[in-house]
Amino acid sequence: MGHGWVFQHDNDPKHTAKAKKEWIKKKHIKPKPQNAITIAVSSRALFNMDREQDIYEQQGMEDYLKYQIQHEIEPFAPGPAFPFIKAVEAVNTRLRELYPDSEELFDVVLMTSNHAHVGLRLINSINHYQLFIERFSYHANLYLSADSLKVREAIDEGIAAATVFSPGKITELSETQLRVAFDGDAVLFSDESEIIYKAHGLDKFYEHEKAHENKPLDHGPLKGFLEALGKLQQKFYAKGQRLDCPIRTYLVTARSAASSGTRALKTLRSWGLETDEALFLAGAPKGPMLEKIRPHIFFDDQMFHVEGATELGTVAAHVPYGISQKIQSKTARDVKKDMPAKQLE
Ligand SMILES: [Mg+2]
């Protein structure tokens, strides 16, 4: 179990590379492993802080802090990203068994701009659930937050990021296998084909995808994370654990298997990547399929797919990238409305 808890205060000038080095030296903490896959998660994505958020919004900062101190020893309830982080840690346990000296692990980092008083309650919550969160970081392979504005900023900086939404009902998830589901267009892939579809309709889209079948799509914001998962999967395959691999990935796309799906698969192959399963829904709703797969997290760029997934019990994460964000400005506004600008992380 790690010791050096640090809660990153966003925009804090003290968090320079130099300050970070000094801090590491002072705390005698080993520098972050270079090969780790860093997942940065905000406190409100990891834990359910709805009640605290209400107090902050209705009664203000002072009452909010007072409440947090009064409830300091009471752990927060799990939030939407909690099962995903637990599954990530289960993968780490397996990796450590197979490769005791390897740095190629997940490194989970808590991002928060919360007040130090709240920090104590966070530490207590992390200890309560025996989570292995110990380092802070400036670089993340994946950033999960409940704050859509911060996620948008991260996406604009080229970081794989998503806003996590709680499911409408509780679904039991695997504790031994991390399952991650990705949409294709504007998530793993760029939005170049989505642009054709929005501008010219479905028929032109099919025509275009058929004509460009052998031209790989450009990469989207979550491609790097699939790649990182693939790298870890290879480590299990190398030890003969392909069938028992604790990581499973899924492509869940509205493309159809018969036509436009080919370009998606050929693109993944051109990158040297694959998902364990590729599901082509040909425009059918994604929620029912995800309900069967039971992923710990599902990434999509369109809010209606995120909503469809959460309604049927899947933790879904919105990736604010690509043409859909501009065209569906109403949806984007709705996201913003649900997420007050002045919120606590
Ligand atoms: Mg999409």
Side-chain angles (χ1 to χ4, degrees):
M1 199 67 193
H3 298 290
W5 312 96
V6 161
F7 300 95
Q8 176 155 337
H9 297 250
D10 293 351
N11 307 321
D12 189 333
K14 287 200 296 293
H15 287 118
T16 60
K18 197 176 155 223
K20 183 187 164 194
K21 262 189 211 149
E22 277 169 11
W23 180 85
I24 288 170
K25 221 169 120 189
K26 208 166 93 191
K27 297 277 178 187
H28 309 291
I29 284 171
K30 276 189 283 178
K32 205 180 103 56
Q34 292 301 307
N35 298 314
I37 294 153
T38 303
I39 298 173
V41 60
S42 83
S43 50
R44 280 211 312 140
L46 185 60
F47 297 118
N48 181 336
M49 299 169 84
D50 289 353
R51 177 161 171 73
E52 290 74 13
Q53 183 77 15
D54 283 350
I55 294 173
Y56 173 72
E57 276 165 29
Q58 284 156 23
Q59 293 160 239
M61 180 60 108
E62 288 310 312
D63 279 7
Y64 166 79
L65 288 176
K66 207 154 71 184
Y67 179 89
Q68 292 287 23
I69 292 165
Q70 277 164 2
H71 294 78
E72 204 161 273
I73 55 164
E74 200 180 296
F76 292 109
F82 188 91
F84 172 72
I85 296 298
K86 281 300 267 187
V88 153
E89 294 193 341
V91 174
N92 270 357
T93 305
R94 291 273 306 272
L95 280 167
R96 284 196 188 96
E97 283 165 17
L98 291 178
Y99 301 92
D101 302 318
S102 176
E103 287 184 341
E104 284 176 307
L105 297 159
F106 290 107
D107 184 25
V108 182
V109 167
L110 188 70
M111 307 277 281
T112 178
S113 50
N114 254 319
H115 196 278
H117 294 314
V118 184
L120 272 175
R121 191 170 175 204
L122 284 170
I123 291 169
N124 288 335
S125 300
I126 288 163
N127 286 333
H128 173 81
Y129 295 110
Q130 300 184 326
L131 298 171
F132 283 75
I133 300 170
E134 53 182 309
R135 291 190 184 87
F136 72 111
S137 171
Y138 299 93
H139 162 79
N141 296 84
L142 178 66
Y143 171 49
L144 298 177
S145 175
D147 184 334
S148 61
L149 296 176
K150 283 184 186 163
V151 167
R152 198 171 289 260
E153 280 171 24
I155 283 282
D156 290 345
E157 285 173 33
I159 295 165
T163 314
V164 203
F165 292 88
S166 295
K169 60 176 191 182
I170 304 291
T171 304
E172 218 174 290
L173 301 171
S174 172
E175 287 178 11
T176 52
Q177 185 179 55
L178 167 67
R179 295 180 194 163
V180 185
F182 299 90
D183 171 37
D185 292 277
V187 172
L188 291 178
F189 313 128
S190 79
D191 64 342
E192 60 197 80
S193 298
E194 191 84 20
I195 292 170
I196 307 278
Y197 169 60
K198 298 275 193 221
H200 306 289
L202 198 56
D203 288 344
K204 273 273 178 297
F205 166 79
Y206 282 139
E207 219 172 90
H208 181 269
E209 292 311 283
K210 191 82 204 136
H212 294 81
E213 196 179 285
N214 293 312
K215 183 177 178 281
L217 291 151
D218 201 355
H219 70 90
L222 268 291
K223 181 225 173 187
F225 186 59
L226 176 65
E227 200 167 12
L229 292 176
K231 216 171 82 179
L232 293 186
Q233 283 181 315
Q234 293 295 334
K235 295 176 76 91
F236 290 99
Y237 302 167
K239 299 277 187 182
Q241 298 192 359
R242 183 180 279 269
L243 293 178
D244 188 27
C245 185
I247 303 173
R248 195 162 179 83
T249 57
Y250 305 81
L251 171 68
V252 181
T253 172
R255 286 177 180 246
S256 68
S259 55
S260 55
T262 313
R263 191 176 182 199
L265 290 182
K266 284 188 173 178
T267 297
L268 288 175
R269 194 183 298 160
S270 77
W271 294 340
L273 297 179
E274 55 179 358
T275 51
D276 293 294
E277 290 183 36
L279 301 145
F280 299 98
L281 300 187
K286 295 183 179 183
M289 181 57 81
L290 290 162
E291 196 179 16
K292 292 199 184 90
I293 297 170
R294 300 193 175 200
H296 292 89
I297 197 160
F298 164 62
F299 296 98
D300 205 292
D301 63 300
Q302 309 210 40
M303 268 316 285
F304 70 91
H305 285 312
V306 169
E307 280 158 13
T310 54
E311 268 168 33
L312 293 179
T314 298
V315 175
H318 180 243
V319 180
Y321 165 83
I323 185 76
S324 297
Q325 317 311 317
K326 287 170 198 129
I327 288 181
Q328 295 178 342
S329 57
K330 190 169 168 276
T331 309
R333 259 205 307 277
D334 288 346
V335 174
K336 228 165 134 182
K337 197 173 69 199
D338 294 341
M339 303 276 142
K342 251 193 101 77
Q343 64 182 313
L344 299 156
E345 274 285 24

